[in-house]
Amino acid sequence: MIFRETEHKLYHELASTYDLYYSRIFNYQEFYDKIAPILEENGVKSILEVACGTGRLMEILEEHSYIVTGLDLSQDMLNIARKRVKGDLIQQDMRRINLENRYDAIVSLGSSFTYIQSDEDVEDTLRGFYTHLNADGVLIFDCFDKDRLSTASHGKWDAESQSFDDLTITRKSMSSGWNQDDGTWLVDWEWTIQNNDDTKTVFEQQKLKAHTFKYLEKKLREVGFTDIEKQDTRRLLIKAVRTD
Ligand SMILES: C[S@@+](CC[C@H](N)C(=O)[O-])C[C@H]1O[C@@H](n2cnc3c(N)ncnc32)[C@H](O)[C@@H]1O
C-alpha cells in the first residue's frame, strides 16, 4: 500500500509552520465550544482525537479534564503535540485504525476528513471509528461541505502573511475549479518562511475532497451508526452515535 497521497509536506517538513500559521486560521477554542455540549450530553470521559495534528485542540480538551489519546499519520506533527499534551500519541493512518482501547468519543476536526477520498477509504475509516467506540459512544467530525462549495477564488493566486516574533510566513495558494461530480479539487501552495536573513520556499500541490451530508449519512448508517445529525456550522460538522 502506498501512502504517498497523504504524506504531505505541510504536515512533515512544514509541521512547525503549520502549527504557527494555522493557530491563526483555526480558532481551536471555537472548535471546543462547538463540541463541548455534545461531549457533556453524552457523558464522555475518554476521547480519541483522530488527525490531532500538533495537539492544539487536544490541549484544550485536556484542560477540561478529558482523557485524550491523539492519533495522526504524521510523526512530525505528533512530535510538536508531544510538547503540548499529556495523553498518548499514536502514529497511525485513520483508514486503518488498530488500537486495543475503546473510547467514549472520537473527535476529528480541522477538515482532516478531506484526505479520505475513495468510497473504500470512507468505509474503512468510518468502520474503524465505529469499532473503536464504546457502546453509546459518540463520533464528531467535520469536512468540507460539497453542497456549499464556492468557486469564487478558483484559478487566482491568493497571498496572505502572518508574522510571529522574528518569523514571517507567507502562504500563496491557488485552487483549481472543483470537479462537481466527485467533489475534489487541487490546491497549489507556495509557502515562504522568512527568518532574519534566511528565506525558505516550499511548493506543494494537494488534492482535497468535499462530501455531502447525504453521502456520509448513508456510509455512517451502513457501518452501524445511528442518531446521525448535521450540526449547524460553516463546515459540515457531523455527530453520530454507536448504539448497540
Ligand atoms: C488540516 S490538518 C488538521 C490537524 C488538526 N486536527 C488541527 O485542526 O489543527 C490535517 C491532519 O490530518 C493528518 N492526516 C492526513 N491524512 C491522515 C490519515 N490518513 N490518517 C491520520 N491522519 C491523517 C495530517 O497529518 C494532519 O495532521
Side-chain angles (χ1 to χ4, degrees):
M1 179 60 74
I2 298 168
F3 293 151
R4 212 168 355 124
E5 80 274 20
T6 45
E7 281 176 5
H8 300 116
K9 290 182 188 173
L10 183 56
Y11 310 127
H12 291 274
E13 65 176 287
L14 292 182
S16 58
T17 300
Y18 174 93
D19 184 50
L20 286 175
Y21 197 86
Y22 280 81
S23 71
R24 302 251 177 101
I25 302 279
F26 288 150
N27 184 333
Y28 294 95
Q29 186 57 47
E30 240 171 50
F31 283 2
Y32 174 75
D33 293 343
K34 275 279 167 216
I35 65 170
I38 305 173
L39 299 177
E40 271 168 43
E41 273 162 30
N42 288 274
V44 169
K45 292 196 170 58
S46 63
I47 299 174
L48 175 66
E49 194 195 342
V50 171
C52 64
T54 58
R56 288 191 180 266
L57 175 62
M58 188 166 162
E59 181 180 33
I60 299 174
L61 289 165
E62 286 189 339
E63 279 163 14
H64 288 84
S65 303
Y66 291 103
I67 301 158
V68 193
T69 298
L71 177 149
D72 201 279
L73 186 63
S74 163
Q75 191 57 51
D76 295 300
M77 298 291 267
L78 294 175
N79 290 345
I80 296 173
R82 183 69 290 153
K83 296 177 196 149
R84 189 166 277 145
V85 300
K86 297 192 294 280
D88 289 341
L89 293 169
I90 298 165
Q91 194 263 323
Q92 271 190 22
D93 189 318
M94 70 168 112
R95 294 169 297 180
R96 280 168 280 278
I97 302 178
N98 185 8
L99 303 171
E100 276 178 18
N101 290 337
R102 301 288 174 266
Y103 303 85
D104 298 335
I106 292 181
V107 169
S108 186
L109 301 181
S111 297
S112 308
F113 207 83
T114 194
Y115 300 115
I116 306 304
Q117 304 191 344
S118 68
D119 277 343
E120 192 192 350
D121 283 352
V122 169
E123 287 156 16
D124 290 347
T125 304
L126 296 181
R127 197 173 302 109
F129 288 171
Y130 189 86
T131 54
H132 288 83
L133 280 170
N134 289 320
D136 296 324
V138 63
L139 166 67
I140 310 165
F141 72 107
D142 70 1
C143 64
F144 293 111
D145 189 344
K146 186 163 176 242
D147 291 325
R148 293 169 76 172
L149 276 188
S150 150
T151 51
S153 62
H154 288 164
K156 283 184 283 178
W157 281 103
D158 262 350
E160 192 185 321
S161 289
Q162 305 272 2
S163 294
F164 307 85
D165 297 328
D166 52 356
L167 199 72
T168 301
I169 301 171
T170 304
R171 179 184 74 171
K172 280 180 74 185
S173 61
M174 181 168 66
S175 293
S176 69
W178 60 284
N179 178 328
Q180 304 211 3
D181 292 330
D182 70 2
T184 61
W185 69 101
L186 296 174
V187 54
D188 286 301
W189 271 313
E190 181 194 301
W191 293 91
T192 306
I193 300 109
Q194 252 175 305
N195 186 357
N196 301 324
D197 299 334
D198 197 33
T199 301
K200 173 178 164 182
T201 302
V202 177
F203 298 93
E204 172 162 62
Q205 185 178 71
Q206 287 194 8
K207 184 178 177 190
L208 306 180
K209 177 157 176 149
H211 298 283
T212 62
F213 175 64
K214 203 169 154 207
Y215 169 80
L216 290 172
E217 188 187 28
K218 179 169 174 288
K219 294 291 177 197
L220 285 159
R221 264 190 215 297
E222 280 170 11
V223 299
F225 280 103
T226 59
D227 301 341
I228 304 162
E229 283 170 27
K230 175 178 166 175
Q231 309 290 307
D232 183 26
T233 54
R234 221 161 27 92
R235 284 163 204 272
L236 183 52
L237 179 70
I238 295 178
K239 185 208 102 176
V241 179
R242 171 177 178 159
T243 32
D244 58 7

